[in-house]
Amino acid sequence: MTTLPAPASTTRDAAGRVPVALFDLDHTLLPLDSDYEWGVFTTRIGWTDPVAFARRNDAFFADYQAGRLDVHAYVAFATEAIRRAGPQAAAAAHARFMAEVIEPVLRPEARALVAAHRARGERVAIVTATNEFVTAPIARALGVDELIAVRLQRDASGWITGGIDGVPSFREGKVQRVQAWLQQQGLSREQAHLTFYSDSTNDLPLLQYADVPVATNPSAALRTLARQRGWRILDLFEPKP
């Protein structure tokens, strides 16, 4: 493997590695699933049929929780209302979504955790399987500039097509996208010390890739696995049994 030169001026740990803090978003830094809630919101504002949409949205969410989500099918479904609405209406709806759904649940504990890593001079990024349209404003609200999300394919006019551009940041794809992001940062894997926070067993590939995996607000399955492997468990929002 080719070793890349690290940037000349950056924080390093005792071993000379650049510390990087990576965060899943939904149920990790947020106490909800932003993708799912965006779907619920589109129904509330009249963009989707309440019965048909809820049935499909719930089915996709169950598939995600069970680790069998077809991410390409889901993104096509999840962006259908956005595509119909067009750029202006979609942007206005998202601003309302932020004000009504996201901002009221942004927790000081999450902001403090991100801020603590930034204060230590670490590189910070959110790595999420939710698409960039939904998550980019949320990342900014959490004070995170670097976002690794599902990139949405765009047509010649620049508008969303319903497809995914490149590797989706989901399951093993999160590792691939983080590897590509590290290269963009001028870092090889060996030059980085990765901490990754996640709530879900869907993120096992990246948790295992990290130097410090942190099971954060973990599902029952991840909590059990974290205990077995001696991983740190962080109940960021509220204690769980």
Side-chain angles (χ1 to χ4, degrees), residues 25-26 29-34 37-38 41 44 91-111 134-143 237:
L25 179 62
D26 299 320
L29 290 178
L30 291 179
L32 49 69
D33 186 293
S34 59
E37 295 298 334
W38 167 257
F41 178 77
R44 180 153 63 85
H94 197 290
R96 183 178 164 190
F97 173 68
M98 287 294 296
E100 296 179 11
V101 180
I102 298 299
E103 289 171 8
V105 301
L106 290 178
R107 303 285 286 271
E109 302 95 320
R111 284 191 164 118
V134 172
T135 57
I138 301 173
R140 289 193 294 270
L142 286 164
F237 298 140

Side-chain angles (χ1 to χ4, degrees), residues 38-221:
W38 167 257
V40 172
F41 178 77
T42 61
T43 294
R44 180 153 63 85
I45 63 175
W47 283 11
T48 52
D49 176 83
V51 176
F53 184 88
R55 182 173 60 247
R56 293 189 67 197
N57 202 30
D58 288 347
F60 276 119
F61 189 54
D63 285 347
Y64 171 77
Q65 291 180 312
R68 58 172 182 264
L69 178 69
D70 180 340
V71 67
H72 292 272
Y74 176 69
V75 166
F77 162 75
T79 60
E80 186 177 350
I82 302 169
R83 301 195 312 269
R84 282 198 310 264
Q88 273 192 309
H94 197 290
R96 183 178 164 190
F97 173 68
M98 287 294 296
E100 296 179 11
V101 180
I102 298 299
E103 289 171 8
V105 301
L106 290 178
R107 303 285 286 271
E109 302 95 320
R111 284 191 164 118
L113 178 62
V114 171
H117 283 279
R118 290 175 65 93
R120 292 194 291 268
E122 301 182 21
R123 313 267 179 106
V124 173
I126 287 173
V127 190
T128 176
T130 300
N131 71 70
E132 60 189 355
F133 172 83
V134 172
T135 57
I138 301 173
R140 289 193 294 270
L142 286 164
V144 180
D145 297 325
E146 297 287 340
L147 173 66
I148 302 169
V150 170
R151 292 187 302 252
L152 297 174
Q153 193 178 74
R154 311 235 170 202
D155 61 21
S157 73
W159 191 230
I160 297 163
T161 68
I164 293 174
D165 178 15
V167 176
S169 45
F170 178 61
R171 297 182 67 87
E172 293 81 4
K174 281 196 175 183
V175 177
Q176 295 177 55
R177 292 287 305 280
V178 165
Q179 289 171 333
W181 178 76
L182 287 173
Q183 291 276 335
Q184 292 167 3
Q185 298 289 305
L187 296 170
S188 69
R189 176 63 185 88
E190 293 78 10
Q191 290 172 313
H193 182 269
L194 303 182
T195 301
F196 177 49
Y197 295 84
S198 176
D199 70 292
S200 174
T201 54
N202 279 301
D203 283 338
L204 275 177
L206 188 51
L207 285 163
Q208 292 169 158
Y209 183 74
D211 298 288
V212 182
V214 185
T216 309
N217 314 315
S219 66

